[in-house]
Amino acid sequence: MELTEDMKKAIDQSVLCWLATASAEGVPNVSPKEIFCWQNQSTILVANIASPGSVKNIKQNPRVCLSVLDILVQKGYQLKGTAQIITEKEEEFKSLSTPLRNLAGPDFPFSSLTKIVIETAKPIIAPRYLLFPETSEKDQIKSGRKLYGF
């Protein structure tokens, strides 16, 4: 599956994403991730910063779901695929980690990353847009700013 330009834009503009994993026994875990980017038309990279649960689960069960969302507009994407943990001991780590290190800077060191090959994607959209079709993104932003106090 190829990421669309709109999906890439959503990834680029998101401050956080949420990575859902499950253990070998199927126990779910959702963890916020701060340093992430798309690598190519079908791959997303995530820096593993304070992520022992996510890393452990991916090693047991590589099926993941990554959600990116603009919290004010309340639209984004749910991206599902297969993940692989790449450690600094592996040859491809240096090249794959470069864009993540550029985002992270010196404040967020990491020695492994998650490489996700996206297989399916679907939009995430707040129920308000469906229940009240006249709702505009401008309305959502105004409501969000009021709700979150900024």
Side-chain angles (χ1 to χ4, degrees), residues 24-88:
E25 297 79 27
V27 177
N29 181 63
V30 176
S31 179
K33 305 300 179 193
E34 194 169 351
I35 307 299
F36 56 95
C37 65
W38 55 273
Q39 180 200 19
N40 58 38
Q41 294 292 54
S42 62
T43 306
I44 296 174
L45 305 171
V46 180
N48 292 328
I49 301 168
S51 303
S54 297
V55 170
K56 180 181 176 186
N57 282 353
I58 289 167
K59 287 180 178 179
Q60 296 175 3
N61 177 357
R63 306 292 300 152
V64 300
C65 178
L66 186 82
S67 293
V68 294
L69 180 73
D70 180 316
I71 62 165
L72 291 177
V73 175
Q74 296 185 10
K75 289 182 180 179
Y77 289 93
Q78 181 188 81
L79 308 161
K80 293 182 181 179
T82 302
Q84 176 185 4
I85 303 300
I86 310 291
T87 68
E88 62 187 350

Side-chain angles (χ1 to χ4, degrees), residues 48 55 59 84-97 101 111-115:
N48 292 328
V55 170
K59 287 180 178 179
Q84 176 185 4
I85 303 300
I86 310 291
T87 68
E88 62 187 350
K89 295 176 184 175
E90 296 172 66
E91 188 175 316
E92 65 183 321
F93 180 82
K94 185 173 181 177
S95 64
L96 292 178
S97 67
R101 290 198 189 283
S111 59
S112 72
L113 61 89
T114 300
K115 177 181 175 182

